Amino acid sequence: MEHPEQPRLSFFEKESDKSIDARKPLLNGDHSLERYSVLSAIPPFFFPAIGGLLYGYDIGATSGATISLESSKLSGTSWYNLSSVEIGLVVSGSLYGALIGSILAFIIADFLGRRRELITSSLLYFVGAIVTSVAPNFMILVIGRMIYGVGIGLAMHAAPLYIAETAPSQIRGRLISLKEVFIVLGMLLGYTVGSLEIDRVGGWRHMYSTSIPVSLLMAIGMWWLPPSPRWLLLGAIQGKGNTEKARETAIYCLCRLRGGGDSAPDQVDEMLNELSYVEGEKETSFRDIFQGKCLKALTIGAGLVLFQQITGQPSVLYYAATILKSAGFSAASDATRVSILLGLLKLIMTGVAVLAVDKLGRRPLLLGGVSGIAVSLFLLGSYYTFLNNAPFVAVSSLLLYVSCYQLSFGPIGWLMISEIFPWRLRGRALSIAVLVNFSSNALVTFAFSPVETLIGSGMLFVVFGEIALLALVFIYFIVPETKGLTLEEIEAKIL
């Protein structure tokens, strides 16, 4: 790979005869051009992050909704007597929809752009929530859950992309990590609404309908926000529009995103220069995703989200109520209260990660957090194997696992996949990473019970612990540090 400081005339320089030195600040770490208003930086983060909040809300609300649905007194339906398979479809319906949404994102995301993809996602959230909350029978309920899930798949693809492409590099890591806070807030909101509505007849309908006004807020906000300047420029460079017109539009959008200022034209020129430098004008093909820089980035991104799930995240939380109950916690008899307790811990630790990610960096948080995950998993394995009389070990391990996950894989996984992919392949490559995330989540969720029956709970957690050790090796040797770098610097210097 050529050194990024070697002279090469870019597309824009050929058009405007500007000096090659105009592109140096971007690649040499001088980010003084990225002036921004804090107030202006909030909306481009907040409205996409609502997509994460609605994802988390679905997780929290469904835990209470399934209890309500199965109750002969509280369901308010004649079809409350659902089988375990049917309950599984209710719970996993949004997960299946998310898988479909991830596949759709690969096909349509670059055509729609980040903003329109988020608008589409919010409308799917809206329709899915309405269909689910008014479902007259089980089949309509599952259809509504899947529609909502397609919205999840699109939102979890487009939200980190939009935030990464519009945020100033100085706070990009903090903002993308803060999206994880919104997911946890959504879970807490879902658990809270569930606990409030659990004793009402047909309460599950109210649990799901609460997301309707929130999805409308997301749609209105994304309609008001401008498109990503980087996406506009990439389309023009690839021959999908006039470059000069795209430049003027991008400057206008960047001024809105940064709160005005005279630096927007220079920043847009830098983006154009870098696009040409990385040969962004070439039309991409499916094969390109598995070659060169993108293959390296895909290895990093997909590897992180894969380890995020196969280190047992769904399974450990599955055991949470049992572990707390074994230690004599009175709240363990109430699943919603236990969930709120863990949700608060997740929220606190995610907040710590948000504050630390742009100071300590991505690698220290990943290495430290995953080390704690490995320790907690081996301790859980020991508890279920020969420390049954020491419930404090199980409780401590559970709290350590949740804390370390929210310091590392939780926020950092989504952050890394949003910033590591090359420009011209970012939309499609990220959709593959999101697909890996939801697929591995589904695999762990559905394989948990048969594997536990086969090898036992203790050995299962030991296996998860061994996978966590593999994740540590992967992070140490493969995952780079991207703290403080612009998206262009990451591509030019790291990939």
Side-chain angles (χ1 to χ4, degrees):
M1 183 182 75
E2 290 185 324
H3 192 282
E5 293 182 12
Q6 288 181 329
R8 178 194 291 184
L9 288 177
S10 70
F11 179 89
F12 186 74
E13 290 165 338
K14 292 173 185 176
E15 294 291 320
S16 63
D17 294 323
K18 289 199 172 188
S19 168
I20 192 69
D21 289 337
R23 66 185 304 278
K24 286 185 179 178
L26 186 64
L27 295 180
N28 290 340
D30 180 1
H31 305 150
S32 60
L33 290 177
E34 289 198 89
R35 301 187 185 95
Y36 64 95
S37 161
V38 174
L39 289 177
S40 298
I42 292 175
F45 156 76
F46 177 76
F47 291 111
I50 292 177
L53 185 140
L54 287 167
Y55 171 40
Y57 180 82
D58 181 71
I59 297 172
T62 298
S63 66
T66 52
I67 297 173
S68 176
L69 267 170
E70 290 182 286
S71 172
S72 58
K73 296 181 179 179
L74 300 175
S75 69
T77 70
S78 59
W79 39 276
Y80 62 85
N81 191 22
L82 301 176
S83 67
S84 59
V85 173
E86 289 172 327
I87 287 294
L89 285 174
V90 173
V91 173
S92 61
S94 61
L95 182 59
Y96 289 128
L99 290 172
I100 296 172
S102 302
I103 296 171
L104 283 176
F106 182 88
I107 300 171
I108 66 173
D110 284 336
F111 168 74
L112 287 179
R114 294 39 164 147
R115 171 177 167 268
R116 286 187 291 183
E117 186 180 356
L118 283 166
I119 293 173
T120 303
S121 168
S122 64
L123 295 177
L124 287 166
Y125 276 139
F126 177 75
V127 173
I130 290 178
V131 173
T132 301
S133 61
V134 302
N137 56 55
F138 171 75
M139 186 58 64
I140 300 299
L141 174 65
V142 173
I143 291 173
R145 299 283 296 132
M146 292 188 70
I147 294 173
Y148 193 96
V150 176
I152 292 174
L154 293 179
M156 299 309 289
H157 171 264
L161 267 180
Y162 187 88
I163 296 171
E165 292 184 359
T166 58
S169 60
Q170 302 98 307
I171 58 172
R172 185 183 66 242
R174 189 169 298 173
L175 290 179
I176 298 175
S177 301
L178 196 58
K179 184 181 69 67
E180 179 73 14
V181 173
F182 270 59
I183 295 176
V184 178
L185 280 173
M187 293 171 62
L188 272 174
L189 179 61
Y191 294 141
T192 303
V193 172
S195 66
L196 293 174
E197 299 288 345
I198 194 68
D199 294 324
R200 178 185 294 192
V201 175
W204 61 273
R205 297 187 186 274
H206 299 281
M207 296 177 202
Y208 284 127
S209 64
T210 300
S211 58
I212 294 174
V214 184
S215 61
L216 279 178
L217 175 64
M218 178 184 171
I220 294 169
M222 289 312 306
W223 177 81
W224 174 76
L225 284 172
S228 161
R230 285 179 167 93
W231 175 77
L232 290 170
L233 296 175
L234 180 60
I237 287 292
Q238 291 180 336
K240 301 172 185 176
N242 179 272
T243 304
E244 187 59 36
K245 184 177 179 181
R247 175 180 178 272
E248 293 175 1
T249 306
I251 291 172
Y252 167 75
C253 293
L254 196 60
C255 284
R256 287 187 59 189
L257 293 164
R258 296 288 192 271
D262 299 328
S263 63
D266 293 321
Q267 290 185 62
V268 169
D269 290 350
E270 295 289 356
M271 293 176 192
L272 276 168
N273 285 331
E274 183 55 28
L275 273 173
S276 182
Y277 179 78
V278 298
E279 301 178 330
E281 66 269 23
K282 291 183 178 179
E283 189 67 40
T284 62
S285 66
F286 181 78
R287 183 183 301 176
D288 291 332
I289 299 174
F290 302 98
Q291 295 177 349
K293 290 182 177 182
C294 197
L295 177 60
K296 182 178 179 181
L298 191 62
T299 302
I300 295 167
L304 278 176
V305 295
L306 177 65
F307 281 119
Q308 183 189 67
Q309 298 300 323
I310 64 175
T311 48
Q313 190 258 152
S315 306
V316 173
L317 294 181
Y318 174 85
Y319 261 71
T322 303
I323 292 171
L324 289 173
K325 189 174 181 180
S326 71
F329 279 71
S330 59
S333 60
D334 185 341
T336 58
R337 293 181 186 174
V338 172
S339 300
I340 291 173
L341 173 67
L342 289 176
L344 286 171
L345 177 62
K346 286 166 70 73
L347 182 64
I348 292 169
M349 298 312 297
T350 306
V352 173
V354 168
L355 294 175
V357 68
D358 281 327
K359 295 180 179 179
L360 297 179
R362 285 64 160 154
R363 277 174 56 86
L365 288 177
L366 281 171
L367 291 170
V370 177
S371 297
I373 286 174
V375 171
S376 65
L377 287 168
F378 284 122
L379 285 174
L380 280 172
S382 300
Y383 169 75
Y384 281 100
T385 303
F386 53 83
L387 294 177
N388 307 76
N389 295 324
F392 70 91
V393 172
V395 175
S396 301
S397 302
L398 173 64
L399 299 180
L400 178 63
Y401 183 95
V402 171
S403 300
C404 291
Y405 179 85
Q406 293 307 133
L407 279 174
S408 55
F409 276 143
I412 308 301
W414 289 105
L415 167 59
M416 292 292 291
I417 64 172
S418 67
E419 62 186 9
I420 197 68
F421 293 111
W423 269 40
R424 63 194 183 99
L425 295 161
R426 184 168 291 145
R428 289 185 172 184
L430 185 61
S431 68
I432 293 178
V434 174
L435 181 62
V436 169
N437 177 274
F438 285 116
S439 299
S440 54
N441 187 323
L443 176 64
V444 172
T445 300
F446 295 119
F448 176 79
S449 292
V451 174
E452 180 204 11
T453 302
L454 182 64
I455 66 176
S457 302
M459 185 55 65
L460 179 58
F461 285 117
V462 169
V463 171
F464 284 143
E466 292 171 344
I467 295 174
L469 292 179
L470 289 177
L472 272 176
V473 174
F474 174 83
I475 292 165
Y476 185 82
F477 288 103
I478 303 296
V479 178
E481 181 58 72
T482 58
K483 179 185 72 171
L485 300 177
T486 66
L487 298 178
E488 292 76 24
E489 286 177 318
I490 293 171
E491 180 170 356
K493 293 184 174 182
I494 291 178
L495 298 180

